[in-house]
Amino acid sequence: MAAAQVQRMSRLMAKTLRDDPADAETLSHKLLVRAGYVRRNAAGIWTWLPLGKKVLDNITAVVREEMDAIGAQEVLLPALLPKDAYEASGRWEEYGDLLFRLKDRKGGEYLLGPTHEEIFTQTVKDQCTSYKDLPVMLYQIQTKYRDEARPRSGVLRGREFQMKDSYSFDTTDEGLAESYALHRAAYQKIFARLGLDYRIVSAVSGAMGGSASEEFLAPAAAGEDTFVDCPACDYAANTEAVTFVAAPVDGSAHAPMEELDTPDTPTIESLAAHLGVPASATLKNLLVKVDGEIVAVGVPGDREVDLGKLGEHLAPAVVELVTAEDFADRPDLVRGYVGPQGLEKVRYIADPRVAVGTAWITGANKADTHVRNVVCGRDFEVDDHLDVVVVEEGDPCPSCGAGLKLDRAIEIGHIFQLGRKYADTFQLDVLGKEGKPVRVTMGSYGIGVSRAVAALAEQTADDKGLCWPAEIAPADVHVVAAGKAAQIEAALEAAEQLRAAGLRVLVDDRAGVSPGVKFTDAELIGVPQILVAGRRVAEGVFELKDRRTGEREELPLAEAIARVTA
């Protein structure tokens, strides 16, 4: 936290606004702009004004203290990175349009770093040669860049953002597990100190690679992540990480396949209506291309395919929907009437709900025709069972079977056990105890520092404005001079005494501004304690107001200072 100081609003570069910005959709976007914390420069690019920079720095200080406490060492790597390292890892292509790419005057290709696994790996390869040099944990707090297609929600999803990324390097899997546990515990302390309500959920690794992965999510209506929470046990997961396991059923009693005349029924809805059956009795077969190869994905007719989950399962392969041209090239694939039975030269992936022994109504692979009693394991085989449906409220908990609950949240942290993916790429070895090379194993751990500002605003604001937790607020006390010269003088004197007591003070000493405007601004800005120099300052009495609860009390200045510092 910053040292005790007094910031006079008469000199503060912060212009508060009465109305919400026209382009603002989320609460944090509206309030951070209206309260003078940030200013938009371009889509997804923001200037942090003095009040916003103080909050950002306070969050950074908490993160730094807790990272130092687990023995991590701070470094600062470049944001401008050479193409070679990312090309070697495959992420130059995998990141696609998300990368900011540029060339120097000599034609050399570079990128602005979205994350730094490759460069940290190269740094450790250069600096650590023996098992005696490990384990080591390194971190940085730095600006990152991603060319978001639709930057929105203020600083929640920007193209330039502040992030803490740290990396652990160990010689054994057991060592990696210990480093992972240290980071997990540190994150719990960080988010508790920040005053964030959060959930730890199982997640997928995505473009980061690796195996074990957990997200730290802050529940909020503005959240772009959907996660599931079990009301009956402690299970929680990102929807892309939820799994469903279906036991095989006895399909021996099912009747033989029966062809049905179903004209003009290319959709599940039209088929179900024509036959008078629920959509759940039908089998939906979605055709996609995986690195250019056509693949069929089967799910119950009342469920949708989650293309994000499918992509995670098949990464790093590129998944895209088939086109009309693809159907023209494959006349054996009849649009709207595809069925898994008799498919040739097509890999068939099915959701676990399409279990061995289950029977379905599905396409007959010819126009205007479907087939009844198509049994998995008897009439068609599944090449891979992958959980690929969109998770719905009430789906069974993988842990206890109770109905799951869906919630929205903001991702504020993510931790990964990367394993040896990047060490293999860059041949990161150290000399082991036996005198032989040992391949290093890694962990990667991120916190969205600027995103945490928005998450806190979303969770703690009320109908009057921002309402910061004490450790994160831009000041400890907001002193308001509710009057003319005498009140301003008293407010400035009170501010100096508060500073002398070790507090950070924001004092509204603006002349010619009405008390009503000052009170409105104080509630909008959101400092935890508001001290008002009003009509009784001549008696040495001030009003102390708790911003969150609204409780007010008139006290002598010395007693008010004692209350605030307690």
Side-chain angles (χ1 to χ4, degrees):
M1 187 181 292
Q5 60 180 337
V6 173
Q7 173 64 63
R8 297 172 66 160
M9 286 191 68
S10 61
R11 300 173 185 171
L12 178 67
M13 192 177 73
K15 184 178 181 180
T16 58
L17 305 174
R18 299 278 75 82
D19 299 317
D20 295 332
D23 62 337
E25 298 177 356
T26 61
L27 184 62
S28 59
H29 186 178
K30 296 172 184 176
L31 293 179
L32 289 171
V33 172
R34 284 185 53 209
Y37 282 74
V38 297
R39 177 186 178 276
R40 181 182 182 274
N41 295 97
I45 303 173
W46 294 85
T47 291
W48 292 85
L49 298 172
L51 290 177
K53 184 61 165 56
K54 289 178 186 293
V55 172
L56 192 66
D57 286 348
N58 290 339
I59 291 176
T60 299
V62 170
V63 172
R64 180 173 282 118
E65 287 172 14
E66 295 299 341
M67 292 307 300
D68 290 347
I70 63 170
Q73 302 173 62
E74 185 171 8
V75 297
L76 183 61
L77 273 61
L80 180 63
L81 306 173
K83 171 186 176 181
D84 296 352
Y86 281 75
E87 196 168 43
S89 69
R91 294 206 296 177
W92 179 262
E93 297 297 332
E94 286 175 28
Y95 261 104
D97 292 338
L98 279 175
L99 281 186
F100 279 104
R101 307 163 197 261
L102 63 155
K103 292 184 179 181
D104 65 14
R105 66 184 67 195
K106 298 179 181 179
E109 293 188 82
Y110 295 84
L111 67 145
L112 296 178
T115 182
H116 278 66
E117 280 76 8
E118 290 86 349
I119 311 304
F120 269 91
T121 305
Q122 291 179 329
T123 301
V124 171
K125 180 179 175 68
D126 178 66
Q127 297 291 316
C128 300
T129 58
S130 166
Y131 74 93
K132 296 177 182 178
D133 299 325
L134 301 179
V136 66
M137 294 183 289
L138 304 174
Y139 77 96
Q140 64 175 348
I141 300 171
Q142 192 214 46
T143 302
K144 306 287 189 182
Y145 302 88
R146 290 178 190 165
D147 192 3
E148 296 284 354
R150 293 177 56 237
R152 57 195 180 276
S153 304
V155 298
L156 263 180
R157 182 171 286 279
R159 294 192 291 169
E160 175 185 283
F161 51 94
Q162 293 290 309
M163 181 176 171
K164 186 284 301 177
D165 54 326
S166 55
Y167 305 86
S168 62
F169 299 84
D170 291 270
T171 55
T172 66
D173 293 340
E174 293 76 15
L176 170 58
E178 291 177 13
S179 297
Y180 186 90
L182 284 171
H183 276 84
R184 193 178 194 272
Y187 276 34
Q188 290 174 291
K189 291 180 180 178
I190 288 167
F191 296 130
R193 286 181 61 182
L194 296 185
L196 280 163
D197 175 25
Y198 69 93
R199 306 286 187 276
I200 304 175
V201 306
S202 300
V204 293
S205 298
M208 299 290 286
S211 53
S213 173
E214 290 177 294
E215 289 178 344
F216 291 73
L217 300 180
E224 294 185 336
D225 278 41
T226 304
F227 75 102
V228 297
D229 210 357
C230 180
C233 71
D234 60 357
Y235 179 81
N238 185 297
T239 53
E240 292 185 355
V242 177
T243 58
F244 178 85
V245 178
V249 298
D250 183 3
S252 60
H254 292 302
M257 289 192 294
E258 175 188 356
E259 199 167 277
L260 305 171
D261 184 28
T262 54
D264 299 320
T265 57
T267 66
I268 294 295
E269 293 76 13
S270 59
L271 175 64
H274 179 82
L275 296 178
V277 299
S280 59
T282 68
L283 180 62
K284 179 185 298 182
N285 299 288
L286 178 71
L287 296 183
V288 298
K289 288 189 294 185
V290 180
D291 282 346
E293 178 188 354
I294 291 181
V295 173
V297 182
V299 300
D302 61 338
R303 305 302 290 258
E304 297 297 328
V305 175
D306 187 328
L307 291 175
K309 279 175 112 172
L310 180 63
E312 294 290 353
H313 282 303
L314 301 179
V318 176
V319 178
E320 54 189 336
L321 294 174
V322 297
T323 64
E325 290 75 16
D326 296 316
F327 278 104
D329 291 339
R330 290 288 301 270
D332 57 315
L333 301 176
V334 183
R335 192 168 195 166
Y337 297 92
V338 172
Q341 71 288 350
L343 277 182
E344 295 182 0
K345 300 179 182 178
V346 175
R347 177 184 175 192
Y348 193 72
I349 294 172
D351 187 80
R353 294 162 180 83
V354 187
V356 171
T358 55
W360 306 90
I361 300 170
T362 190
N365 296 309
K366 59 183 180 179
D368 299 326
T369 311
H370 284 81
V371 181
R372 194 199 312 269
N373 303 324
V374 180
V375 179
C376 180
R378 184 191 73 182
D379 304 312
F380 69 93
E381 298 294 333
V382 175
D383 293 308
D384 297 286
H385 272 108
L386 302 176
D387 197 309
V388 294
V389 301
V390 175
V391 176
E392 295 180 356
E393 187 102 10
D395 277 352
C397 170
S399 179
C400 73
L404 293 170
K405 181 186 174 197
L406 287 173
D407 285 301
R408 304 291 297 174
I410 298 165
E411 182 185 336
I412 51 176
H414 206 153
I415 55 179
F416 305 85
Q417 290 189 29
L418 290 178
R420 295 172 175 83
K421 173 180 177 177
Y422 295 93
D424 287 342
T425 297
F426 297 101
Q427 297 184 336
L428 174 55
D429 296 328
V430 294
L431 195 64
K433 292 181 179 179
E434 308 301 324
K436 297 179 180 180
V438 174
R439 184 62 41 99
V440 172
T441 184
M442 293 173 56
S444 174
Y445 318 90
I447 288 178
V449 176
S450 51
R451 175 172 280 203
V453 176
L456 275 168
E458 292 288 340
Q459 286 192 343
T460 61
D462 58 21
D463 59 351
K464 297 180 178 65
L466 298 164
C467 196
W468 300 108
E471 191 163 8
I472 304 310
D476 299 305
V477 186
H478 188 154
V479 181
V480 177
K484 299 185 179 179
Q487 281 79 14
I488 291 175
E489 184 179 346
L492 290 171
E493 173 59 29
E496 284 301 323
Q497 291 191 39
L498 288 161
R499 182 197 61 76
L503 299 174
R504 301 163 300 138
V505 186
L506 179 63
V507 56
D508 195 341
D509 61 333
R510 294 174 294 175
V513 178
S514 72
V517 170
K518 290 183 177 181
F519 292 145
T520 299
D521 281 351
E523 291 181 322
L524 177 63
I525 290 170
V527 172
Q529 299 289 336
I530 301 171
L531 186 67
V532 180
R535 56 186 175 79
R536 296 189 63 189
V537 291
E539 306 168 42
V541 176
F542 290 71
E543 180 184 87
L544 182 63
K545 177 183 177 181
D546 186 289
R547 170 65 185 85
R548 180 166 299 284
T549 67
E551 295 178 0
R552 307 166 184 261
E553 192 172 4
E554 289 191 332
L555 300 165
L557 180 58
E559 190 172 340
I561 293 174
R563 290 282 183 88
V564 175
T565 56

Coordinates of all heavy atoms in Angstrom, one line a residue, residues 34-81:
R34 N -17.1 7.1 -15.0 CA -17.8 8.2 -14.4 C -17.0 8.8 -13.2 O -17.0 10.0 -12.9 CB -19.2 7.8 -13.9 CG -20.2 7.7 -15.1 CD -21.6 7.3 -14.5 NE -21.9 8.3 -13.5 CZ -22.7 8.0 -12.4 NH1 -23.2 6.8 -12.3 NH2 -23.0 8.9 -11.5
A35 N -16.3 7.9 -12.4 CA -15.6 8.3 -11.2 C -14.2 8.8 -11.5 O -13.5 9.2 -10.6 CB -15.5 7.2 -10.2
G36 N -13.8 8.9 -12.8 CA -12.5 9.4 -13.2 C -11.3 8.5 -12.9 O -10.2 9.0 -12.6
Y37 N -11.5 7.2 -13.0 CA -10.4 6.3 -12.8 C -9.7 5.9 -14.1 O -8.5 5.7 -14.1 CB -11.0 5.0 -12.2 CG -11.2 5.1 -10.7 CD1 -12.3 5.8 -10.2 CD2 -10.4 4.5 -9.7 CE1 -12.6 5.9 -8.8 CE2 -10.6 4.6 -8.4 CZ -11.7 5.3 -7.9 OH -11.9 5.4 -6.6
V38 N -10.5 5.8 -15.2 CA -9.9 5.5 -16.5 C -10.4 6.3 -17.6 O -11.5 6.9 -17.4 CB -10.1 4.0 -16.8 CG1 -9.5 3.1 -15.8 CG2 -11.6 3.7 -16.9
R39 N -9.7 6.4 -18.7 CA -10.2 7.1 -19.9 C -9.9 6.3 -21.1 O -8.8 5.7 -21.3 CB -9.5 8.5 -20.0 CG -9.9 9.3 -21.2 CD -9.0 10.5 -21.4 NE -9.3 11.3 -22.6 CZ -8.8 11.0 -23.8 NH1 -8.0 10.0 -23.9 NH2 -9.2 11.7 -24.8
R40 N -10.9 6.2 -22.0 CA -10.7 5.4 -23.2 C -9.9 6.1 -24.2 O -10.2 7.3 -24.5 CB -12.1 5.0 -23.8 CG -12.1 4.2 -25.0 CD -13.5 4.0 -25.5 NE -13.6 3.1 -26.7 CZ -13.5 3.5 -27.9 NH1 -13.3 4.8 -28.2 NH2 -13.6 2.7 -28.9
N41 N -8.9 5.4 -24.8 CA -8.1 6.0 -25.9 C -8.6 5.5 -27.3 O -8.6 6.2 -28.3 CB -6.7 5.7 -25.7 CG -6.1 6.4 -24.5 OD1 -6.0 5.8 -23.5 ND2 -5.8 7.7 -24.6
A42 N -8.9 4.2 -27.3 CA -9.3 3.5 -28.5 C -10.0 2.2 -28.0 O -10.0 1.9 -26.8 CB -8.2 3.2 -29.5
A43 N -10.6 1.5 -28.9 CA -11.2 0.2 -28.6 C -10.3 -0.7 -27.9 O -9.2 -1.1 -28.4 CB -11.8 -0.5 -29.8
G44 N -10.6 -1.0 -26.6 CA -9.7 -1.9 -25.8 C -8.4 -1.4 -25.3 O -7.6 -2.1 -24.8
I45 N -8.2 0.0 -25.4 CA -7.0 0.6 -24.9 C -7.4 1.8 -24.0 O -8.2 2.6 -24.4 CB -6.2 1.2 -26.1 CG1 -5.9 0.1 -27.1 CG2 -4.9 1.9 -25.7 CD1 -5.2 0.5 -28.4
W46 N -6.8 1.7 -22.8 CA -7.3 2.6 -21.7 C -6.1 3.3 -21.0 O -5.0 2.7 -20.9 CB -8.0 1.8 -20.6 CG -9.3 1.3 -21.2 CD1 -9.5 0.1 -21.9 CD2 -10.6 1.9 -21.1 NE1 -10.8 0.0 -22.2 CE2 -11.5 1.1 -21.8 CE3 -11.1 3.1 -20.6 CZ2 -12.9 1.4 -21.9 CZ3 -12.4 3.5 -20.7 CH2 -13.3 2.6 -21.4
T47 N -6.3 4.6 -20.7 CA -5.4 5.3 -19.8 C -5.9 5.2 -18.4 O -7.1 5.4 -18.1 CB -5.4 6.8 -20.2 OG1 -4.8 6.9 -21.5 CG2 -4.6 7.6 -19.2
W48 N -5.0 4.9 -17.5 CA -5.3 4.8 -16.0 C -5.0 6.2 -15.5 O -3.8 6.6 -15.4 CB -4.4 3.7 -15.4 CG -4.8 2.4 -15.8 CD1 -4.4 1.7 -16.9 CD2 -5.8 1.5 -15.1 NE1 -5.0 0.4 -16.9 CE2 -5.9 0.3 -15.9 CE3 -6.6 1.7 -14.0 CZ2 -6.7 -0.7 -15.5 CZ3 -7.4 0.6 -13.6 CH2 -7.5 -0.5 -14.4
L49 N -6.0 6.9 -15.0 CA -5.9 8.2 -14.4 C -5.4 8.1 -13.0 O -5.3 6.9 -12.5 CB -7.2 9.0 -14.5 CG -7.7 9.2 -16.0 CD1 -9.1 9.8 -16.0 CD2 -6.7 10.1 -16.7
P50 N -5.0 9.2 -12.3 CA -4.4 9.0 -11.0 C -5.2 8.1 -10.0 O -4.5 7.3 -9.3 CB -4.3 10.5 -10.5 CG -4.1 11.3 -11.7 CD -5.0 10.6 -12.8
L51 N -6.5 8.3 -9.9 CA -7.2 7.4 -8.9 C -7.1 6.0 -9.3 O -6.9 5.1 -8.5 CB -8.7 7.9 -8.8 CG -8.9 9.2 -8.1 CD1 -10.4 9.5 -8.1 CD2 -8.4 9.1 -6.6
G52 N -7.3 5.7 -10.6 CA -7.2 4.3 -11.1 C -5.9 3.7 -11.0 O -5.7 2.5 -10.6
K53 N -4.8 4.5 -11.2 CA -3.5 4.0 -11.0 C -3.2 3.7 -9.6 O -2.5 2.7 -9.3 CB -2.5 5.1 -11.5 CG -1.0 4.7 -11.5 CD -0.8 3.5 -12.4 CE 0.7 3.3 -12.7 NZ 1.6 3.1 -11.5
K54 N -3.7 4.4 -8.7 CA -3.6 4.1 -7.2 C -4.2 2.7 -6.9 O -3.6 1.9 -6.2 CB -4.2 5.1 -6.4 CG -3.4 6.5 -6.3 CD -4.1 7.5 -5.5 CE -3.5 8.9 -5.6 NZ -2.1 8.9 -5.0
V55 N -5.4 2.5 -7.4 CA -6.0 1.2 -7.2 C -5.2 0.1 -7.9 O -5.0 -1.0 -7.3 CB -7.5 1.2 -7.7 CG1 -8.1 -0.2 -7.7 CG2 -8.3 2.2 -6.9
L56 N -4.8 0.3 -9.1 CA -4.0 -0.7 -9.8 C -2.7 -1.0 -9.1 O -2.3 -2.2 -8.9 CB -3.7 -0.2 -11.2 CG -3.1 -1.1 -12.2 CD1 -4.1 -2.2 -12.6 CD2 -2.7 -0.4 -13.5
D57 N -2.1 0.0 -8.5 CA -0.8 -0.2 -7.8 C -1.1 -0.9 -6.5 O -0.2 -1.7 -6.1 CB -0.2 1.2 -7.5 CG 0.5 1.8 -8.8 OD1 0.6 1.1 -9.8 OD2 0.8 3.0 -8.7
N58 N -2.2 -0.7 -5.8 CA -2.5 -1.4 -4.6 C -2.7 -2.8 -4.8 O -2.3 -3.7 -4.0 CB -3.7 -0.7 -3.9 CG -3.4 0.7 -3.4 OD1 -2.3 1.0 -3.1 ND2 -4.5 1.4 -3.2
I59 N -3.4 -3.2 -5.9 CA -3.6 -4.6 -6.2 C -2.2 -5.2 -6.6 O -1.9 -6.3 -6.1 CB -4.6 -4.7 -7.4 CG1 -6.0 -4.4 -6.9 CG2 -4.5 -6.2 -8.0 CD1 -7.0 -4.4 -8.0
T60 N -1.4 -4.5 -7.3 CA -0.1 -5.0 -7.7 C 0.8 -5.3 -6.4 O 1.5 -6.3 -6.4 CB 0.6 -4.0 -8.6 OG1 -0.1 -3.8 -9.8 CG2 2.0 -4.4 -9.0
A61 N 0.7 -4.4 -5.5 CA 1.4 -4.5 -4.2 C 1.1 -5.8 -3.5 O 1.9 -6.5 -3.0 CB 1.3 -3.3 -3.3
V62 N -0.3 -6.1 -3.4 CA -0.7 -7.3 -2.7 C -0.2 -8.5 -3.5 O 0.3 -9.5 -2.9 CB -2.3 -7.3 -2.7 CG1 -2.8 -8.7 -2.2 CG2 -2.8 -6.2 -1.7
V63 N -0.3 -8.5 -4.8 CA 0.2 -9.7 -5.6 C 1.7 -9.9 -5.4 O 2.1 -11.0 -5.2 CB -0.1 -9.4 -7.1 CG1 0.5 -10.5 -7.9 CG2 -1.6 -9.4 -7.3
R64 N 2.4 -8.8 -5.4 CA 3.9 -8.8 -5.3 C 4.3 -9.4 -3.9 O 5.1 -10.2 -3.8 CB 4.5 -7.5 -5.5 CG 6.0 -7.4 -5.4 CD 6.6 -6.1 -5.8 NE 6.6 -5.9 -7.2 CZ 5.9 -5.0 -7.9 NH1 5.1 -4.1 -7.3 NH2 6.0 -4.9 -9.2
E65 N 3.6 -8.9 -2.8 CA 3.9 -9.4 -1.5 C 3.7 -10.9 -1.3 O 4.5 -11.6 -0.7 CB 3.1 -8.6 -0.5 CG 3.5 -7.2 -0.3 CD 2.5 -6.4 0.6 OE1 1.6 -7.0 1.3 OE2 2.6 -5.1 0.6
E66 N 2.6 -11.4 -1.9 CA 2.3 -12.8 -1.7 C 3.1 -13.7 -2.6 O 3.5 -14.8 -2.2 CB 0.8 -13.0 -2.0 CG -0.1 -12.4 -1.0 CD 0.1 -12.8 0.5 OE1 0.7 -13.9 0.7 OE2 -0.4 -12.1 1.4
M67 N 3.5 -13.2 -3.7 CA 4.5 -13.9 -4.6 C 5.8 -14.0 -3.9 O 6.5 -15.0 -3.9 CB 4.5 -13.3 -6.0 CG 3.3 -13.4 -6.8 SD 2.6 -15.1 -7.0 CE 4.0 -15.9 -7.7
D68 N 6.3 -12.9 -3.4 CA 7.6 -12.9 -2.7 C 7.5 -13.8 -1.5 O 8.6 -14.5 -1.2 CB 7.9 -11.5 -2.2 CG 8.3 -10.5 -3.4 OD1 8.5 -11.0 -4.5 OD2 8.3 -9.3 -3.2
A69 N 6.4 -13.9 -0.9 CA 6.3 -14.7 0.4 C 6.5 -16.2 0.1 O 6.8 -17.0 1.0 CB 4.9 -14.5 1.0
I70 N 6.2 -16.7 -1.1 CA 6.4 -18.1 -1.4 C 7.8 -18.3 -2.1 O 8.0 -19.5 -2.5 CB 5.3 -18.7 -2.3 CG1 5.3 -18.0 -3.7 CG2 3.9 -18.6 -1.7 CD1 4.3 -18.7 -4.7
G71 N 8.6 -17.3 -2.1 CA 9.9 -17.5 -2.6 C 10.1 -17.2 -4.1 O 11.1 -17.5 -4.7
A72 N 9.1 -16.7 -4.8 CA 9.2 -16.4 -6.2 C 10.0 -15.1 -6.4 O 10.0 -14.2 -5.5 CB 7.8 -16.2 -6.8
Q73 N 10.8 -15.1 -7.4 CA 11.7 -13.9 -7.7 C 11.1 -13.1 -8.9 O 10.7 -13.7 -9.9 CB 13.1 -14.4 -8.1 CG 13.7 -15.3 -7.0 CD 15.0 -15.9 -7.4 OE1 15.9 -15.2 -7.7 NE2 15.0 -17.3 -7.5
E74 N 11.1 -11.8 -8.7 CA 10.5 -11.0 -9.7 C 11.6 -10.6 -10.8 O 12.7 -10.3 -10.5 CB 9.9 -9.7 -9.1 CG 9.2 -8.8 -10.2 CD 8.5 -7.6 -9.6 OE1 8.6 -7.4 -8.3 OE2 7.7 -7.0 -10.3
V75 N 11.1 -10.7 -12.0 CA 12.0 -10.3 -13.2 C 11.1 -9.4 -14.1 O 9.9 -9.2 -13.8 CB 12.5 -11.5 -14.0 CG1 13.4 -12.4 -13.1 CG2 11.3 -12.4 -14.5
L76 N 11.6 -8.9 -15.1 CA 10.9 -8.2 -16.1 C 11.4 -8.5 -17.5 O 12.5 -8.2 -17.9 CB 11.0 -6.7 -15.9 CG 10.1 -5.8 -16.9 CD1 8.6 -6.2 -16.8 CD2 10.3 -4.3 -16.6
L77 N 10.6 -9.2 -18.3 CA 10.9 -9.7 -19.6 C 10.4 -8.6 -20.6 O 9.5 -7.9 -20.3 CB 10.4 -11.1 -19.9 CG 11.3 -12.2 -19.5 CD1 11.5 -12.2 -18.0 CD2 10.6 -13.6 -19.9
P78 N 10.9 -8.7 -21.8 CA 10.4 -7.7 -22.8 C 9.0 -8.0 -23.3 O 8.6 -9.2 -23.2 CB 11.4 -7.9 -24.0 CG 12.0 -9.3 -23.8 CD 12.0 -9.5 -22.4
A79 N 8.3 -7.0 -23.7 CA 7.0 -7.2 -24.2 C 7.1 -7.4 -25.7 O 6.2 -8.1 -26.3 CB 6.1 -6.0 -24.0
L80 N 8.1 -6.9 -26.4 CA 8.3 -7.1 -27.8 C 9.2 -8.3 -28.0 O 10.4 -8.4 -27.5 CB 9.1 -5.8 -28.4 CG 9.4 -5.9 -29.9 CD1 8.2 -6.0 -30.7 CD2 10.3 -4.7 -30.2
L81 N 8.7 -9.3 -28.6 CA 9.3 -10.7 -28.6 C 9.6 -11.1 -30.0 O 8.8 -10.9 -31.0 CB 8.4 -11.7 -27.9 CG 7.9 -11.3 -26.5 CD1 6.9 -12.3 -26.0 CD2 9.1 -11.2 -25.6

